[in-house]
């Protein structure tokens, strides 16, 4: 069994992967509809790559079920 290594990704990477602008991502976070960022410092926030991927897979599954 291989274990996937999680890593932190920037908002730029998140935006590129999900195809949404930063403002839309932050709106979804405020509604509890997108994974929250992890604060690594006073001015450094990153997202779990695994959580973002899981969120995308969840949306695709919902779309396929419709």
């Amino acid at each position: 069994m291989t274990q996937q290594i999680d890593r932190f990704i920037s908002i730029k990477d998140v935006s590129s992967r999900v195809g949404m602008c930063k403002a839309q991502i932050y709106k979804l976070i405020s509604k509890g509809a997108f994974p929250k960022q992890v604060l690594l410092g006073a001015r450094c926030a990153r997202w779990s790559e695994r959580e973002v991927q899981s969120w995308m897979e969840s949306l695709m599954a919902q779309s396929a079920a419709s």
Side-chain angles (χ1 to χ4, degrees):
M1 179 175 149
T2 59
Q3 185 176 3
Q4 181 185 7
I5 297 173
D6 198 11
R7 66 185 192 121
F8 292 122
I9 57 176
S10 68
I11 186 64
K12 183 178 176 182
D13 292 331
V14 173
S15 178
S16 176
R17 288 174 191 230
V18 301
M20 294 180 191
C21 68
K22 293 190 298 185
Q24 183 64 29
I25 292 167
Y26 283 115
K27 281 182 189 178
L28 290 174
I29 291 170
S30 71
K31 294 178 182 179
F34 193 85
K36 286 189 175 184
Q37 66 273 38
V38 177
L39 297 177
L40 301 178
R43 296 180 48 108
C44 182
R46 296 291 186 264
W47 281 257
S48 160
E49 184 176 41
R50 190 179 308 151
E51 287 183 13
V52 172
Q53 183 65 36
S54 293
W55 178 84
M56 292 171 59
E57 290 169 1
S58 174
L59 284 183
M60 289 186 282
Q62 289 174 9
S63 179
S66 298

CSV table of all heavy atoms in Angstrom, one decimal:
chain,number,residue,atom,x,y,z
A,1,MET,N,0.9,-1.2,0.0
A,1,MET,CA,0.0,0.0,0.0
A,1,MET,C,0.9,1.2,0.0
A,1,MET,O,1.8,1.4,0.9
A,1,MET,CB,-0.9,0.0,1.2
A,1,MET,CG,-1.8,1.1,1.4
A,1,MET,SD,-2.9,0.8,2.8
A,1,MET,CE,-3.1,2.5,3.3
A,2,THR,N,0.7,2.1,-0.9
A,2,THR,CA,1.4,3.4,-1.0
A,2,THR,C,0.7,4.5,-0.3
A,2,THR,O,-0.6,4.6,-0.5
A,2,THR,CB,1.8,3.8,-2.4
A,2,THR,OG1,0.5,3.9,-3.1
A,2,THR,CG2,2.7,2.8,-3.1
A,3,GLN,N,1.3,5.3,0.4
A,3,GLN,CA,0.7,6.3,1.2
A,3,GLN,C,1.0,7.6,0.4
A,3,GLN,O,2.2,7.9,0.1
A,3,GLN,CB,1.2,6.4,2.6
A,3,GLN,CG,0.6,7.5,3.4
A,3,GLN,CD,1.1,7.4,4.9
A,3,GLN,OE1,2.0,6.7,5.2
A,3,GLN,NE2,0.5,8.3,5.7
A,4,GLN,N,-0.1,8.4,0.1
A,4,GLN,CA,0.1,9.7,-0.6
A,4,GLN,C,0.6,10.7,0.4
A,4,GLN,O,0.1,10.9,1.5
A,4,GLN,CB,-1.2,10.1,-1.2
A,4,GLN,CG,-1.1,11.4,-1.9
A,4,GLN,CD,-2.5,11.9,-2.4
A,4,GLN,OE1,-3.5,11.4,-2.0
A,4,GLN,NE2,-2.5,13.0,-3.1
A,5,ILE,N,1.7,11.4,0.0
A,5,ILE,CA,2.3,12.4,0.8
A,5,ILE,C,1.5,13.7,0.5
A,5,ILE,O,1.3,14.1,-0.6
A,5,ILE,CB,3.8,12.6,0.5
A,5,ILE,CG1,4.5,11.3,0.9
A,5,ILE,CG2,4.3,13.8,1.3
A,5,ILE,CD1,5.9,11.3,0.5
A,6,ASP,N,1.1,14.4,1.6
A,6,ASP,CA,0.4,15.6,1.5
A,6,ASP,C,1.4,16.7,1.5
A,6,ASP,O,2.5,16.6,2.0
A,6,ASP,CB,-0.6,15.8,2.6
A,6,ASP,CG,-1.7,16.9,2.4
A,6,ASP,OD1,-1.8,17.3,1.2
A,6,ASP,OD2,-2.4,17.3,3.3
A,7,ARG,N,1.1,17.8,0.8
A,7,ARG,CA,1.9,19.0,0.8
A,7,ARG,C,1.1,20.2,0.8
A,7,ARG,O,-0.1,20.2,0.4
A,7,ARG,CB,2.9,19.0,-0.4
A,7,ARG,CG,2.3,19.1,-1.7
A,7,ARG,CD,3.4,18.9,-2.8
A,7,ARG,NE,2.8,19.3,-4.1
A,7,ARG,CZ,3.2,20.3,-4.8
A,7,ARG,NH1,4.3,21.0,-4.5
A,7,ARG,NH2,2.6,20.6,-6.0
A,8,PHE,N,1.7,21.3,1.1
A,8,PHE,CA,1.0,22.6,1.2
A,8,PHE,C,1.1,23.3,-0.2
A,8,PHE,O,2.2,23.3,-0.8
A,8,PHE,CB,1.6,23.5,2.2
A,8,PHE,CG,1.3,23.1,3.6
A,8,PHE,CD1,2.3,22.8,4.5
A,8,PHE,CD2,0.0,22.9,4.1
A,8,PHE,CE1,2.0,22.4,5.8
A,8,PHE,CE2,-0.3,22.5,5.4
A,8,PHE,CZ,0.7,22.2,6.2
A,9,ILE,N,0.0,23.9,-0.7
A,9,ILE,CA,0.1,24.6,-1.9
A,9,ILE,C,-0.4,26.0,-1.7
A,9,ILE,O,-1.3,26.3,-0.8
A,9,ILE,CB,-0.7,23.9,-3.0
A,9,ILE,CG1,-2.2,23.6,-2.6
A,9,ILE,CG2,0.0,22.6,-3.4
A,9,ILE,CD1,-3.0,23.0,-3.7
A,10,SER,N,0.0,27.0,-2.5
A,10,SER,CA,-0.3,28.4,-2.4
A,10,SER,C,-1.7,28.6,-3.0
A,10,SER,O,-2.3,27.8,-3.8
A,10,SER,CB,0.7,29.2,-3.1
A,10,SER,OG,0.6,29.0,-4.5
A,11,ILE,N,-2.2,29.8,-2.8
A,11,ILE,CA,-3.5,30.2,-3.3
A,11,ILE,C,-3.4,30.3,-4.9
A,11,ILE,O,-4.4,30.0,-5.6
A,11,ILE,CB,-4.0,31.6,-2.8
A,11,ILE,CG1,-5.4,31.9,-3.3
A,11,ILE,CG2,-3.0,32.7,-3.1
A,11,ILE,CD1,-6.5,31.0,-2.8
A,12,LYS,N,-2.3,30.6,-5.4
A,12,LYS,CA,-2.1,30.7,-6.8
A,12,LYS,C,-2.2,29.3,-7.4
A,12,LYS,O,-2.9,29.1,-8.4
A,12,LYS,CB,-0.7,31.2,-7.2
A,12,LYS,CG,-0.4,31.3,-8.6
A,12,LYS,CD,1.0,31.9,-8.8
A,12,LYS,CE,1.3,32.0,-10.3
A,12,LYS,NZ,2.7,32.5,-10.5
A,13,ASP,N,-1.6,28.3,-6.7
A,13,ASP,CA,-1.8,26.9,-7.2
A,13,ASP,C,-3.2,26.4,-7.0
A,13,ASP,O,-3.7,25.7,-7.9
A,13,ASP,CB,-0.8,26.0,-6.4
A,13,ASP,CG,0.6,26.2,-6.7
A,13,ASP,OD1,0.9,26.6,-7.9
A,13,ASP,OD2,1.5,26.0,-5.8
A,14,VAL,N,-3.8,26.7,-5.9
A,14,VAL,CA,-5.2,26.3,-5.7
A,14,VAL,C,-6.1,26.9,-6.8
A,14,VAL,O,-6.9,26.2,-7.4
A,14,VAL,CB,-5.7,26.8,-4.3
A,14,VAL,CG1,-7.2,26.5,-4.1
A,14,VAL,CG2,-5.0,26.1,-3.2
A,15,SER,N,-6.0,28.2,-7.0
A,15,SER,CA,-6.8,28.9,-8.1
A,15,SER,C,-6.6,28.2,-9.4
A,15,SER,O,-7.5,27.9,-10.2
A,15,SER,CB,-6.3,30.3,-8.1
A,15,SER,OG,-7.1,31.0,-9.1
A,16,SER,N,-5.4,27.9,-9.8
A,16,SER,CA,-5.1,27.2,-11.0
A,16,SER,C,-5.7,25.8,-11.1
A,16,SER,O,-6.3,25.4,-12.1
A,16,SER,CB,-3.5,27.1,-11.2
A,16,SER,OG,-3.2,26.4,-12.4
A,17,ARG,N,-5.6,25.1,-10.0
A,17,ARG,CA,-6.2,23.7,-10.0
A,17,ARG,C,-7.7,23.7,-10.1
A,17,ARG,O,-8.2,22.8,-10.8
A,17,ARG,CB,-5.7,23.0,-8.8
A,17,ARG,CG,-4.2,22.6,-8.8
A,17,ARG,CD,-3.8,22.0,-7.5
A,17,ARG,NE,-2.4,21.9,-7.5
A,17,ARG,CZ,-1.7,20.9,-7.2
A,17,ARG,NH1,-2.3,19.8,-6.9
A,17,ARG,NH2,-0.4,20.9,-7.2
A,18,VAL,N,-8.3,24.6,-9.4
A,18,VAL,CA,-9.8,24.5,-9.4
A,18,VAL,C,-10.5,25.4,-10.4
A,18,VAL,O,-11.7,25.3,-10.6
A,18,VAL,CB,-10.4,24.8,-8.0
A,18,VAL,CG1,-9.8,23.8,-7.0
A,18,VAL,CG2,-10.1,26.2,-7.5
A,19,GLY,N,-9.7,26.2,-11.1
A,19,GLY,CA,-10.2,27.1,-12.1
A,19,GLY,C,-11.1,28.2,-11.6
A,19,GLY,O,-12.1,28.6,-12.3
A,20,MET,N,-10.8,28.7,-10.4
A,20,MET,CA,-11.6,29.8,-9.8
A,20,MET,C,-10.6,30.9,-9.4
A,20,MET,O,-9.5,30.6,-9.1
A,20,MET,CB,-12.3,29.4,-8.6
A,20,MET,CG,-13.4,28.4,-8.8
A,20,MET,SD,-14.1,28.0,-7.2
A,20,MET,CE,-15.1,26.6,-7.6
A,21,CYS,N,-11.1,32.1,-9.4
A,21,CYS,CA,-10.3,33.2,-8.9
A,21,CYS,C,-10.2,33.2,-7.4
A,21,CYS,O,-11.0,32.5,-6.7
A,21,CYS,CB,-10.8,34.6,-9.4
A,21,CYS,SG,-12.4,35.0,-8.6
A,22,LYS,N,-9.2,33.9,-6.8
A,22,LYS,CA,-9.0,33.9,-5.4
A,22,LYS,C,-10.2,34.4,-4.7
A,22,LYS,O,-10.6,33.8,-3.6
A,22,LYS,CB,-7.8,34.9,-5.0
A,22,LYS,CG,-6.5,34.3,-5.5
A,22,LYS,CD,-5.3,35.1,-5.0
A,22,LYS,CE,-5.3,36.6,-5.4
A,22,LYS,NZ,-4.1,37.3,-4.9
A,23,ALA,N,-10.9,35.4,-5.2
A,23,ALA,CA,-12.1,36.0,-4.5
A,23,ALA,C,-13.2,34.9,-4.3
A,23,ALA,O,-13.8,34.8,-3.3
A,23,ALA,CB,-12.6,37.2,-5.2
A,24,GLN,N,-13.4,34.1,-5.4
A,24,GLN,CA,-14.4,33.0,-5.3
A,24,GLN,C,-14.0,32.0,-4.3
A,24,GLN,O,-14.9,31.5,-3.6
A,24,GLN,CB,-14.6,32.4,-6.7
A,24,GLN,CG,-15.7,31.4,-6.8
A,24,GLN,CD,-17.1,31.9,-6.4
A,24,GLN,OE1,-17.4,33.1,-6.7
A,24,GLN,NE2,-17.9,31.1,-5.9
A,25,ILE,N,-12.8,31.6,-4.3
A,25,ILE,CA,-12.3,30.6,-3.3
A,25,ILE,C,-12.5,31.1,-1.9
A,25,ILE,O,-13.1,30.4,-1.1
A,25,ILE,CB,-10.8,30.3,-3.5
A,25,ILE,CG1,-10.6,29.6,-4.9
A,25,ILE,CG2,-10.2,29.5,-2.4
A,25,ILE,CD1,-9.2,29.5,-5.4
A,26,TYR,N,-12.2,32.4,-1.6
A,26,TYR,CA,-12.4,32.9,-0.3
A,26,TYR,C,-13.9,33.0,0.1
A,26,TYR,O,-14.3,32.8,1.2
A,26,TYR,CB,-11.7,34.2,-0.1
A,26,TYR,CG,-10.2,34.1,0.1
A,26,TYR,CD1,-9.3,34.6,-0.9
A,26,TYR,CD2,-9.7,33.5,1.2
A,26,TYR,CE1,-7.9,34.4,-0.7
A,26,TYR,CE2,-8.3,33.3,1.4
A,26,TYR,CZ,-7.4,33.8,0.4
A,26,TYR,OH,-6.1,33.6,0.6
A,27,LYS,N,-14.7,33.3,-0.9
A,27,LYS,CA,-16.2,33.3,-0.6
A,27,LYS,C,-16.7,31.9,-0.2
A,27,LYS,O,-17.5,31.8,0.7
A,27,LYS,CB,-17.0,33.8,-1.9
A,27,LYS,CG,-16.9,35.2,-2.1
A,27,LYS,CD,-17.8,35.6,-3.3
A,27,LYS,CE,-17.6,37.1,-3.6
A,27,LYS,NZ,-18.3,37.4,-4.9
A,28,LEU,N,-16.2,30.9,-0.9
A,28,LEU,CA,-16.6,29.5,-0.6
A,28,LEU,C,-16.1,29.1,0.8
A,28,LEU,O,-16.8,28.4,1.5
A,28,LEU,CB,-16.1,28.6,-1.7
A,28,LEU,CG,-16.7,28.6,-3.1
A,28,LEU,CD1,-16.0,27.7,-4.1
A,28,LEU,CD2,-18.2,28.3,-3.0
A,29,ILE,N,-14.9,29.5,1.1
A,29,ILE,CA,-14.3,29.2,2.4
A,29,ILE,C,-15.2,29.9,3.5
A,29,ILE,O,-15.5,29.2,4.5
A,29,ILE,CB,-12.9,29.8,2.6
A,29,ILE,CG1,-11.9,28.9,1.7
A,29,ILE,CG2,-12.4,29.7,4.0
A,29,ILE,CD1,-10.5,29.5,1.6
A,30,SER,N,-15.6,31.1,3.3
A,30,SER,CA,-16.4,31.8,4.3
A,30,SER,C,-17.8,31.1,4.5
A,30,SER,O,-18.4,31.2,5.5
A,30,SER,CB,-16.6,33.3,4.0
A,30,SER,OG,-17.5,33.4,2.8
A,31,LYS,N,-18.3,30.4,3.4
A,31,LYS,CA,-19.5,29.7,3.5
A,31,LYS,C,-19.4,28.3,4.0
A,31,LYS,O,-20.3,27.5,4.1
A,31,LYS,CB,-20.2,29.7,2.1
A,31,LYS,CG,-20.6,31.0,1.6
A,31,LYS,CD,-21.2,30.9,0.2
A,31,LYS,CE,-21.6,32.2,-0.3
A,31,LYS,NZ,-22.2,32.1,-1.7
A,32,GLY,N,-18.1,27.9,4.2
A,32,GLY,CA,-17.8,26.5,4.7
A,32,GLY,C,-17.9,25.5,3.6
A,32,GLY,O,-18.1,24.3,3.8
A,33,ALA,N,-17.8,26.0,2.3
A,33,ALA,CA,-17.9,25.1,1.2
A,33,ALA,C,-16.6,24.8,0.5
A,33,ALA,O,-16.6,24.2,-0.6
A,33,ALA,CB,-18.9,25.7,0.1
A,34,PHE,N,-15.5,25.1,1.1
A,34,PHE,CA,-14.2,24.9,0.5
A,34,PHE,C,-13.2,24.7,1.7
A,34,PHE,O,-13.4,25.3,2.7
A,34,PHE,CB,-13.7,26.1,-0.4
A,34,PHE,CG,-12.5,25.8,-1.2
A,34,PHE,CD1,-12.7,25.1,-2.5
A,34,PHE,CD2,-11.3,26.1,-0.8
A,34,PHE,CE1,-11.6,24.8,-3.3
A,34,PHE,CE2,-10.2,25.8,-1.6
A,34,PHE,CZ,-10.3,25.2,-2.8
A,35,PRO,N,-12.2,23.9,1.5
A,35,PRO,CA,-11.2,23.6,2.6
A,35,PRO,C,-10.6,24.9,3.0
A,35,PRO,O,-10.2,25.8,2.2
A,35,PRO,CB,-10.2,22.7,2.0
A,35,PRO,CG,-10.9,22.0,0.8
A,35,PRO,CD,-11.9,23.0,0.3
A,36,LYS,N,-10.4,25.1,4.4
A,36,LYS,CA,-9.8,26.3,4.9
A,36,LYS,C,-8.3,26.2,4.7
A,36,LYS,O,-7.7,25.1,4.7
A,36,LYS,CB,-10.1,26.4,6.4
A,36,LYS,CG,-11.5,26.9,6.7
A,36,LYS,CD,-11.7,27.2,8.1
A,36,LYS,CE,-13.1,27.8,8.3
A,36,LYS,NZ,-13.3,28.2,9.7
A,37,GLN,N,-7.7,27.3,4.7
A,37,GLN,CA,-6.2,27.4,4.6
A,37,GLN,C,-5.6,27.1,5.9
A,37,GLN,O,-6.2,27.2,7.0
A,37,GLN,CB,-5.8,28.8,4.0
A,37,GLN,CG,-6.1,29.9,5.0
A,37,GLN,CD,-7.4,30.5,4.8
A,37,GLN,OE1,-8.4,29.9,4.6
A,37,GLN,NE2,-7.5,31.9,4.9
A,38,VAL,N,-4.3,26.7,5.9
A,38,VAL,CA,-3.5,26.5,7.1
A,38,VAL,C,-2.6,27.7,7.2
A,38,VAL,O,-1.9,28.0,6.3
A,38,VAL,CB,-2.7,25.2,7.0
A,38,VAL,CG1,-1.8,25.0,8.2
A,38,VAL,CG2,-3.6,24.0,6.8
A,39,LEU,N,-2.6,28.3,8.4
A,39,LEU,CA,-1.7,29.5,8.6
A,39,LEU,C,-0.3,29.0,9.0
A,39,LEU,O,-0.2,28.4,10.1
A,39,LEU,CB,-2.3,30.5,9.6
A,39,LEU,CG,-3.6,31.1,9.2
A,39,LEU,CD1,-4.1,32.0,10.3
A,39,LEU,CD2,-3.5,31.9,7.9
A,40,LEU,N,0.7,29.2,8.2
A,40,LEU,CA,2.0,28.8,8.5
A,40,LEU,C,2.8,29.9,9.2
A,40,LEU,O,3.9,29.7,9.7
A,40,LEU,CB,2.8,28.3,7.3
A,40,LEU,CG,2.1,27.2,6.5
A,40,LEU,CD1,2.9,26.9,5.3
A,40,LEU,CD2,2.0,26.0,7.4
A,41,GLY,N,2.3,31.1,9.2
A,41,GLY,CA,3.0,32.3,9.8
A,41,GLY,C,2.0,33.4,9.7
A,41,GLY,O,0.9,33.3,9.3
A,42,ALA,N,2.5,34.6,10.1
A,42,ALA,CA,1.6,35.8,10.2
A,42,ALA,C,1.1,36.2,8.8
A,42,ALA,O,-0.1,36.6,8.7
A,42,ALA,CB,2.4,36.9,10.8
A,43,ARG,N,1.9,36.0,7.8
A,43,ARG,CA,1.4,36.3,6.4
A,43,ARG,C,1.6,35.2,5.4
A,43,ARG,O,1.8,35.5,4.3
A,43,ARG,CB,2.2,37.6,6.0
A,43,ARG,CG,1.9,38.8,6.8
A,43,ARG,CD,2.7,40.0,6.3
A,43,ARG,NE,2.6,40.2,4.9
A,43,ARG,CZ,1.9,41.2,4.3
A,43,ARG,NH1,1.3,42.0,5.0
A,43,ARG,NH2,1.9,41.3,3.0
A,44,CYS,N,1.5,34.0,5.9
A,44,CYS,CA,1.7,32.8,5.0
A,44,CYS,C,0.6,31.8,5.2
A,44,CYS,O,0.5,31.2,6.3
A,44,CYS,CB,3.1,32.2,5.3
A,44,CYS,SG,3.5,30.8,4.3
A,45,ALA,N,-0.2,31.7,4.2
A,45,ALA,CA,-1.3,30.7,4.3
A,45,ALA,C,-1.1,29.7,3.1
A,45,ALA,O,-0.8,30.1,2.0
A,45,ALA,CB,-2.6,31.4,4.2
A,46,ARG,N,-1.4,28.4,3.4
A,46,ARG,CA,-1.3,27.4,2.4
A,46,ARG,C,-2.5,26.4,2.5
A,46,ARG,O,-3.1,26.4,3.6
A,46,ARG,CB,0.0,26.6,2.4
A,46,ARG,CG,1.2,27.5,2.2
A,46,ARG,CD,1.3,27.9,0.7
A,46,ARG,NE,2.6,28.6,0.4
A,46,ARG,CZ,2.7,29.9,0.4
A,46,ARG,NH1,1.7,30.7,0.7
A,46,ARG,NH2,3.9,30.4,0.0
A,47,TRP,N,-2.8,25.7,1.5
A,47,TRP,CA,-3.8,24.7,1.5
A,47,TRP,C,-3.2,23.3,1.4
A,47,TRP,O,-2.2,23.1,0.8
A,47,TRP,CB,-4.8,24.9,0.4
A,47,TRP,CG,-5.7,26.0,0.6
A,47,TRP,CD1,-7.0,25.9,0.9
A,47,TRP,CD2,-5.5,27.4,0.5
A,47,TRP,NE1,-7.6,27.1,1.1
A,47,TRP,CE2,-6.7,28.1,0.8
A,47,TRP,CE3,-4.3,28.2,0.2
A,47,TRP,CZ2,-6.8,29.5,0.8
A,47,TRP,CZ3,-4.4,29.6,0.2
A,47,TRP,CH2,-5.6,30.2,0.6
A,48,SER,N,-3.9,22.4,2.0
A,48,SER,CA,-3.6,21.0,1.9
A,48,SER,C,-3.9,20.5,0.5
A,48,SER,O,-5.1,20.6,0.1
A,48,SER,CB,-4.3,20.1,2.9
A,48,SER,OG,-4.3,18.8,2.6
A,49,GLU,N,-2.9,20.0,-0.2
A,49,GLU,CA,-3.1,19.5,-1.6
A,49,GLU,C,-4.2,18.4,-1.6
A,49,GLU,O,-5.1,18.3,-2.4
A,49,GLU,CB,-1.8,19.1,-2.2
A,49,GLU,CG,-1.9,18.6,-3.6
A,49,GLU,CD,-0.6,18.2,-4.2
A,49,GLU,OE1,0.2,17.6,-3.5
A,49,GLU,OE2,-0.3,18.6,-5.3
A,50,ARG,N,-4.1,17.5,-0.6
A,50,ARG,CA,-5.0,16.4,-0.5
A,50,ARG,C,-6.4,16.9,-0.2
A,50,ARG,O,-7.4,16.3,-0.8
A,50,ARG,CB,-4.5,15.5,0.7
A,50,ARG,CG,-5.3,14.2,0.7
A,50,ARG,CD,-4.9,13.3,1.8
A,50,ARG,NE,-3.4,13.1,1.8
A,50,ARG,CZ,-2.7,12.8,2.9
A,50,ARG,NH1,-3.3,12.7,4.1
A,50,ARG,NH2,-1.4,12.6,2.8
A,51,GLU,N,-6.6,17.9,0.6
A,51,GLU,CA,-8.0,18.4,0.9
A,51,GLU,C,-8.6,19.0,-0.4
A,51,GLU,O,-9.8,18.9,-0.6
A,51,GLU,CB,-8.0,19.4,2.0
A,51,GLU,CG,-7.8,18.7,3.4
A,51,GLU,CD,-7.8,19.7,4.5
A,51,GLU,OE1,-8.2,20.9,4.3
A,51,GLU,OE2,-7.5,19.3,5.6
A,52,VAL,N,-7.8,19.8,-1.1
A,52,VAL,CA,-8.3,20.4,-2.3
A,52,VAL,C,-8.6,19.4,-3.3
A,52,VAL,O,-9.7,19.4,-4.0
A,52,VAL,CB,-7.2,21.4,-2.9
A,52,VAL,CG1,-7.6,21.9,-4.3
A,52,VAL,CG2,-7.0,22.6,-1.9
A,53,GLN,N,-7.8,18.3,-3.5
A,53,GLN,CA,-8.1,17.2,-4.4
A,53,GLN,C,-9.4,16.5,-4.0
A,53,GLN,O,-10.2,16.2,-4.9
A,53,GLN,CB,-6.9,16.3,-4.5
A,53,GLN,CG,-7.1,15.1,-5.5
A,53,GLN,CD,-7.2,15.6,-6.9
A,53,GLN,OE1,-6.5,16.6,-7.3
A,53,GLN,NE2,-8.0,15.0,-7.7
A,54,SER,N,-9.5,16.3,-2.7
A,54,SER,CA,-10.7,15.6,-2.2
A,54,SER,C,-12.0,16.4,-2.5
A,54,SER,O,-13.0,15.9,-2.9
A,54,SER,CB,-10.7,15.3,-0.7
A,54,SER,OG,-9.7,14.4,-0.5
A,55,TRP,N,-11.9,17.7,-2.4
A,55,TRP,CA,-13.0,18.6,-2.6
A,55,TRP,C,-13.4,18.5,-4.1
A,55,TRP,O,-14.6,18.5,-4.5
A,55,TRP,CB,-12.6,20.1,-2.3
A,55,TRP,CG,-13.6,21.1,-2.6
A,55,TRP,CD1,-14.7,21.4,-1.8
A,55,TRP,CD2,-13.7,21.9,-3.7
A,55,TRP,NE1,-15.5,22.4,-2.4
A,55,TRP,CE2,-14.9,22.7,-3.6
A,55,TRP,CE3,-13.0,22.1,-4.9
A,55,TRP,CZ2,-15.3,23.6,-4.6
A,55,TRP,CZ3,-13.3,23.0,-5.8
A,55,TRP,CH2,-14.5,23.8,-5.7
A,56,MET,N,-12.4,18.5,-5.0
A,56,MET,CA,-12.6,18.4,-6.4
A,56,MET,C,-13.3,17.1,-6.8
A,56,MET,O,-14.3,17.1,-7.5
A,56,MET,CB,-11.3,18.6,-7.2
A,56,MET,CG,-10.8,20.0,-7.1
A,56,MET,SD,-9.1,20.1,-7.9
A,56,MET,CE,-9.4,19.6,-9.5
A,57,GLU,N,-12.8,16.0,-6.2
A,57,GLU,CA,-13.4,14.7,-6.4
A,57,GLU,C,-14.8,14.6,-5.9
A,57,GLU,O,-15.7,14.0,-6.6
A,57,GLU,CB,-12.5,13.6,-5.8
A,57,GLU,CG,-11.2,13.5,-6.5
A,57,GLU,CD,-10.2,12.6,-5.7
A,57,GLU,OE1,-10.6,12.1,-4.6
A,57,GLU,OE2,-9.1,12.4,-6.2
A,58,SER,N,-15.1,15.3,-4.8
A,58,SER,CA,-16.5,15.3,-4.3
A,58,SER,C,-17.4,16.0,-5.3
A,58,SER,O,-18.5,15.5,-5.5
A,58,SER,CB,-16.5,16.0,-2.9
A,58,SER,OG,-17.8,16.2,-2.5
A,59,LEU,N,-17.0,17.1,-5.8
A,59,LEU,CA,-17.8,17.8,-6.8
A,59,LEU,C,-18.0,17.0,-8.0
A,59,LEU,O,-19.2,17.0,-8.6
A,59,LEU,CB,-17.1,19.2,-7.2
A,59,LEU,CG,-17.2,20.3,-6.2
A,59,LEU,CD1,-16.6,21.6,-6.8
A,59,LEU,CD2,-18.6,20.6,-5.8
A,60,MET,N,-17.0,16.3,-8.5
A,60,MET,CA,-17.2,15.5,-9.7
A,60,MET,C,-18.1,14.3,-9.4
A,60,MET,O,-18.9,14.0,-10.3
A,60,MET,CB,-15.8,15.0,-10.2
A,60,MET,CG,-14.9,16.1,-10.8
A,60,MET,SD,-13.4,15.5,-11.5
A,60,MET,CE,-12.4,15.2,-10.0
A,61,ALA,N,-18.1,13.8,-8.2
A,61,ALA,CA,-19.0,12.7,-7.9
A,61,ALA,C,-20.4,13.2,-7.8
A,61,ALA,O,-21.4,12.5,-8.3
A,61,ALA,CB,-18.6,12.0,-6.6
A,62,GLN,N,-20.6,14.4,-7.3
A,62,GLN,CA,-22.0,15.0,-7.2
A,62,GLN,C,-22.5,15.2,-8.6
A,62,GLN,O,-23.7,15.0,-8.9
A,62,GLN,CB,-21.9,16.3,-6.4
A,62,GLN,CG,-21.8,16.1,-4.9
A,62,GLN,CD,-21.6,17.4,-4.2
A,62,GLN,OE1,-21.8,18.5,-4.8
A,62,GLN,NE2,-21.2,17.4,-2.9
A,63,SER,N,-21.6,15.7,-9.5
A,63,SER,CA,-22.0,16.0,-10.8
A,63,SER,C,-22.4,14.7,-11.6
A,63,SER,O,-23.4,14.7,-12.3
A,63,SER,CB,-20.9,16.7,-11.5
A,63,SER,OG,-21.2,17.0,-12.9
A,64,ALA,N,-21.6,13.7,-11.4
A,64,ALA,CA,-21.9,12.4,-12.0
A,64,ALA,C,-23.2,11.8,-11.6
A,64,ALA,O,-23.9,11.1,-12.3
A,64,ALA,CB,-20.7,11.4,-11.8
A,65,ALA,N,-23.5,12.0,-10.3
A,65,ALA,CA,-24.8,11.4,-9.7
A,65,ALA,C,-26.0,12.2,-10.2
A,65,ALA,O,-27.1,11.6,-10.1
A,65,ALA,CB,-24.7,11.5,-8.2
A,66,SER,N,-25.8,13.4,-10.7
A,66,SER,CA,-27.0,14.2,-11.1
A,66,SER,C,-27.5,13.7,-12.5
A,66,SER,O,-26.9,13.3,-13.3
A,66,SER,CB,-26.6,15.6,-11.2
A,66,SER,OG,-26.2,16.1,-9.9
